[in-house]
Amino acid sequence: MEQRGNFTSKLGVVLAAAGSAVGLGNVWRFPTEVGNNGGAAFILIYLACVLFVGVPVMLSEFVIGRHTHSNTISAYNQLAPGKWWRIQGINGVFVAFVILSYYVVIAGWTLFYLVEAVMGNLKESADYTAYFNDFVSSPVSPLIYAVAFMALTHLVVVRGVQAGIEKCSKVMMPMLLLIIAVLVVCSFSMPGTSEGLRFLLQPDFSKVTPGVVLSAMGQAFFSLSLAMGCLCTYASYFGSDTNLFKTACSVSMIDTMVAVLSGFFIFPAVFSVSGVEANAGPGLVFITLPNVFNMAFQNVPVVGYVFTVLFYLLLLLAALTSSISLLESVTAYVVESLHQPRARASVYVSVLSMLLGVLCVYSFGPLSDVKLFGLTFFDLFDFVSSKILLPLGGILICLFTGWYLDRRLVLDEVTNQERLRFKLFRVYLFLIRYVVPIAIAAIFVNELI
Ligand code: PFF
């Protein structure tokens, strides 16, 4: 069997894990949720969720992964041999596989829009709704782009942990952060800046309902890549000197910063164009924004062009670093537990996931009328993974680390065998034992109802 890879630097560790977290969820889903849930009040609640739920769950995943140095399924088998806890290992890898199958569909759309933006085809007079609907419902193009995106992901994963994941993260993440900075600066020169910022920064607590709190928590889970085996797998490549708590804080901070900054360039742009609603829903990225960018920069089309290209490049980079972690999570299992060479394992997983992905691609076209439980395949996969398996996974991870694992083992892991101090250990334990499981259970019940 091949030797296990390792991340070689602290920067590599943070950028790879942040790459997993920063994804379509930040640039697409977060601003949509902010728009739908009343702006700044939602952001404040989201920040609390990241701090009190996100960081403790991420730290728990790091403890499990780094302690065992193995893929997620083996990790639980090793820590709880013969016990039913292993269900969570299987759940983590399974959810990563399912999410990958529909994540590549949206990522494929992003790739298509980037190509179109570069070629200058996202012109001002186009009917963006028809443009989008024609593309996603066509029988060939979205499939080709999804396959192309999956192939890109495979090309990184097949090179392994150091030469593939770490190296790419070190290039793609700084690029991504730079693009965000350029977009924010550019966007601040627009006439809608003050209105956009007011929307983002002035909380209106009358809009806060239990549903808003629960949406914020669901968003934090998805955005931070929690409970899907990805961060646990990445942590298995961390060195013994990696400070797990600091890493969890850095990753959560980068992820949250990218999400908030996305709002900082999207909303000033949206408010600069009259007649466009801030809460434009899922069409925000592919229908509203290309329209907004064109109209906002009508007098300087070159800036509009560059802005649009950079925006879709940003989305593509974000999607790619996340899909790499999804593919790696499953591939690591196939390599280590099914004893396949990495190249073959990555091909198997990519092809199988793409086969499932075909159903998701066609959920917007030929299979849009085929429904199970009233949902298309795309919506069903999304529902089952993010609304059922994910929260369940979150609860299991906390209970496993907080109650099942030996307290000494957890303490040794977060203090690197007592070489570091971790003053918040009791707070962390209290959160994962009581607060987080109860909070997640509340989401779960609410979502199901
Ligand atoms: N966190 C990613 C995003 O915000 O788009 C999505 C994601 C990646 C979810 C990896 C789950 C995962 F394991």
Side-chain angles (χ1 to χ4, degrees), residues 19-27 29 95-96 99 103 219 221-231 255 318-319 321-323 325-326 329 390:
S20 170
V22 173
L24 295 169
N26 301 62
V27 191
R29 237 177 107 165
V95 180
I99 293 188
Y103 204 74
Q219 171 63 19
F221 252 78
F222 187 84
S223 187
L224 295 171
S225 303
L226 299 177
M228 300 181 223
C230 293
L231 293 179
D255 187 68
T321 48
S322 295
S323 63
S325 72
L326 290 164
S329 170
L390 231 152

Side-chain angles (χ1 to χ4, degrees), residues 92 112 128 201 395 407 423 445:
F112 169 76
Y128 291 96
L201 299 176
I395 295 176
R407 192 188 152 109
K423 289 194 198 131
V445 173

Side-chain angles (χ1 to χ4, degrees), residues 156-186:
V156 176
V157 169
V158 81
R159 292 168 152 260
V161 177
Q162 263 169 45
I165 300 171
E166 184 173 357
K167 217 167 159 186
C168 281
S169 306
K170 280 181 169 170
V171 176
M172 292 197 277
M173 287 307 286
M175 254 169 92
L176 183 148
L177 296 174
L178 186 70
I179 294 177
I180 287 246
V182 172
L183 292 179
V184 171
V185 170
C186 226

Side-chain angles (χ1 to χ4, degrees), residues 119-449:
M119 308 222 298
N121 290 344
L122 297 177
K123 290 264 167 55
E124 57 187 277
S125 56
D127 174 348
Y128 291 96
T129 309
Y131 190 78
F132 174 72
N133 289 337
D134 284 352
F135 168 66
V136 298
S137 60
S138 105
V140 183
S141 301
L143 185 59
I144 291 179
Y145 280 96
V147 170
F149 181 84
M150 184 66 102
L152 278 178
T153 310
H154 163 76
L155 284 179
V156 176
V157 169
V158 81
R159 292 168 152 260
V161 177
Q162 263 169 45
I165 300 171
E166 184 173 357
K167 217 167 159 186
C168 281
S169 306
K170 280 181 169 170
V171 176
M172 292 197 277
M173 287 307 286
M175 254 169 92
L176 183 148
L177 296 174
L178 186 70
I179 294 177
I180 287 246
V182 172
L183 292 179
V184 171
V185 170
C186 226
S187 193
F188 276 17
S189 63
M190 293 183 180
T193 306
S194 52
E195 207 181 331
L197 290 185
R198 203 172 316 125
F199 178 72
L200 280 170
L201 299 176
Q202 230 175 45
D204 171 5
F205 287 103
S206 67
K207 299 236 170 82
V208 177
T209 59
V212 171
V213 179
L214 299 171
S215 297
M217 187 126 63
Q219 171 63 19
F221 252 78
F222 187 84
S223 187
L224 295 171
S225 303
L226 299 177
M228 300 181 223
C230 293
L231 293 179
C232 185
T233 306
Y234 273 13
S236 73
Y237 306 132
F238 289 0
S240 56
D241 58 340
T242 301
N243 183 332
L244 299 186
F245 178 61
K246 255 193 181 165
T247 307
C249 290
S250 309
V251 171
S252 306
M253 219 177 65
I254 295 175
D255 187 68
T256 307
M257 205 180 69
V258 171
V260 173
L261 288 180
S262 298
F264 272 27
F265 74 79
I266 288 176
F267 289 110
V270 169
F271 281 107
S272 297
V273 176
S274 57
V276 178
E277 292 273 325
N279 55 346
L284 180 71
V285 161
F286 297 106
I287 298 173
T288 310
L289 287 183
N291 186 11
V292 160
F293 294 158
N294 264 315
M295 285 165 62
F297 295 111
Q298 235 163 9
N299 299 330
V300 264
V302 180
V303 180
Y305 173 85
V306 174
F307 202 98
T308 311
V309 169
L310 283 182
F311 174 68
Y312 287 108
L313 182 59
L314 167 74
L315 268 182
L316 185 74
L317 290 173
L320 192 55
T321 48
S322 295
S323 63
I324 289 168
S325 72
L326 290 164
L327 181 57
E328 174 62 23
S329 170
V330 191
T331 301
Y333 164 69
V334 178
V335 170
E336 290 169 13
S337 300
L338 306 182
H339 310 295
Q340 297 297 317
R342 174 169 278 269
R344 204 184 298 162
S346 175
V347 171
Y348 286 162
V349 179
S350 305
V351 170
L352 282 178
S353 177
M354 206 51 247
L355 287 179
L356 210 58
V358 173
L359 297 176
C360 300
V361 170
Y362 288 149
S363 293
F364 297 89
L367 296 181
S368 60
D369 290 331
V370 180
K371 298 205 169 147
L372 287 175
F373 308 106
L375 298 171
T376 61
F377 285 110
F378 183 97
D379 290 337
L380 184 71
F381 291 174
D382 183 27
F383 180 84
V384 171
S385 51
S386 35
K387 304 262 161 81
I388 298 183
L389 299 177
L390 231 152
L392 271 182
I395 295 176
L396 288 178
I397 287 169
C398 289
L399 297 181
F400 183 70
T401 319
W403 294 101
Y404 178 80
L405 284 185
D406 185 22
R407 192 188 152 109
R408 187 75 237 169
L409 180 155
V410 179
L411 182 64
D412 281 349
E413 209 52 57
V414 289
T415 58
N416 291 355
Q417 319 299 326
E418 296 187 8
R419 277 175 286 142
L420 301 170
R421 283 174 63 102
F422 181 45
K423 289 194 198 131
L424 296 174
F425 187 67
R426 278 162 182 268
V427 178
Y428 161 64
L429 218 53
F430 178 72
L431 287 173
I432 58 168
R433 282 186 166 179
Y434 304 101
V435 179
V436 183
I438 293 173
I440 302 174
I443 309 186
F444 189 50
V445 173
N446 180 75
E447 295 285 8
L448 285 189
I449 290 172

